[in-house]
Amino acid sequence: MCGISGIVGKSEPKEQLESMVRAQSHRGPDATGYYYNPDNSTGLGHNRLSIIDLNAAANQPFLSSDGRYAMVFNGEIYNYPELRAQLEPHFPFRTHSDTEVLLNAFIHWGPRCLDRFNGMFSFAIWDQQQQSLFAARDRFGVKPFHYAIHQNALYFASEIKALWAAGIPRSPRASVWAGYLSYGTYGMPDETFWDSIAQLPAGHYLQWQNSQISTTRWYHFVERIHSMPALAEKEVVEAWTST
């Protein structure tokens, strides 16, 4: 478990971002890091729990070799050795981390890299050249990603209380509270218990540029199941008994 946080499109985000990172300190006791873009309008923060490649070179926010991209990442990419082997002809690797594999996979394949990942993840990548943010959440939403748009800036974090620490209002979303207390439901996939705070739904990615936000569904579970070839009963039995 790590903690990611960020503020995009706000002048001088340092004080708020540090408050967000402190609010998530329990998520990553091994390292704390910050990135601020040159004009100081965007900041990324990270609380690291070291699992893969314990070297400090793998600390985050993690920058691409040319400095164009900065990334914060929470989770684990299980098939990162296989992906690294595919990417090594195109990139000089500095670490043995799945973090660097994820960033280079995005640089090389763009949003289509998500289909290649076997793992659980939420991450955000700032593109300094395009002045844009790309963020994504794993297929089933194992890793959290909460965000808010406040005073024309985008705030995001692993935990809601980190957004509160940045000054995002705590205005209850009455419909979600009513549904939870009456029926035990949690609202729509993009909702939280708070009016000003949303969550990126599982299997979706988010893009932010020029103060405009869009979300796109990248994983379609039902469609994927329907597209799988149907097996006869005999084939199922044979497959089951052979394992």
Side-chain angles (χ1 to χ4, degrees), residues 199-221:
Q199 64 174 328
L200 184 62
H204 283 66
Y205 65 78
L206 174 156
Q207 293 173 295
W208 171 273
Q209 189 172 30
N210 298 324
S211 298
Q212 299 295 315
I213 190 170
S214 65
T215 59
T216 303
R217 185 177 180 180
W218 67 268
Y219 182 69
H220 300 263
F221 176 72

Side-chain angles (χ1 to χ4, degrees), residues 8-207:
V8 182
K10 182 187 182 300
S11 179
E12 304 292 336
K14 185 175 186 292
E15 183 176 348
Q16 285 180 302
L17 185 60
E18 289 182 351
S19 295
M20 295 170 73
V21 171
R22 283 195 298 270
Q24 298 186 142
S25 60
H26 58 284
R27 297 185 69 91
D30 297 320
T32 299
Y34 298 91
Y35 162 86
Y36 298 100
N37 70 330
D39 66 4
N40 206 27
S41 64
T42 292
L44 304 178
H46 192 261
N47 307 92
R48 185 183 183 194
L49 176 65
S50 301
I51 302 295
I52 298 175
D53 191 349
L54 307 185
N55 195 291
N59 286 349
Q60 299 179 44
F62 194 88
L63 272 62
S64 61
S65 56
D66 61 1
R68 172 176 171 177
Y69 300 93
M71 182 182 75
V72 286
F73 160 50
N74 170 32
E76 188 173 348
I77 306 299
Y78 305 131
N79 63 331
Y80 78 95
E82 294 86 347
L83 294 174
R84 177 179 173 133
Q86 298 175 42
L87 293 165
E88 279 180 332
H90 308 283
F91 297 93
F93 279 82
R94 315 189 302 273
T95 73
H96 297 283
S97 66
D98 55 347
T99 300
E100 187 172 16
V101 170
L102 192 160
L103 179 57
N104 286 339
F106 174 78
I107 295 171
H108 190 63
W109 291 304
R112 292 176 299 172
C113 69
L114 298 169
D115 293 315
R116 298 172 181 262
F117 296 152
N118 176 9
M120 53 182 181
F121 53 83
S122 64
F123 66 86
I125 299 175
W126 170 252
D127 182 341
Q128 176 59 24
Q129 180 174 307
Q130 295 293 325
Q131 294 287 291
S132 63
L133 186 87
F134 178 91
R137 196 173 179 199
D138 61 68
R139 291 167 177 81
F140 299 108
V142 177
K143 293 301 181 181
F145 189 98
H146 300 95
Y147 68 94
I149 300 172
H150 183 60
Q151 297 178 345
N152 295 319
L154 173 67
Y155 294 71
F156 68 86
S158 296
E159 297 187 13
I160 288 176
K161 68 179 181 180
L163 298 174
W164 290 340
I168 303 302
R170 302 191 190 195
S171 175
R173 191 186 303 268
S175 60
V176 177
W177 282 99
Y180 175 71
L181 294 173
S182 300
Y183 308 108
T185 61
Y186 290 84
M188 300 301 290
D190 62 339
E191 292 181 324
T192 71
F193 287 97
W194 310 96
D195 267 330
S196 54
I197 299 174
Q199 64 174 328
L200 184 62
H204 283 66
Y205 65 78
L206 174 156
Q207 293 173 295

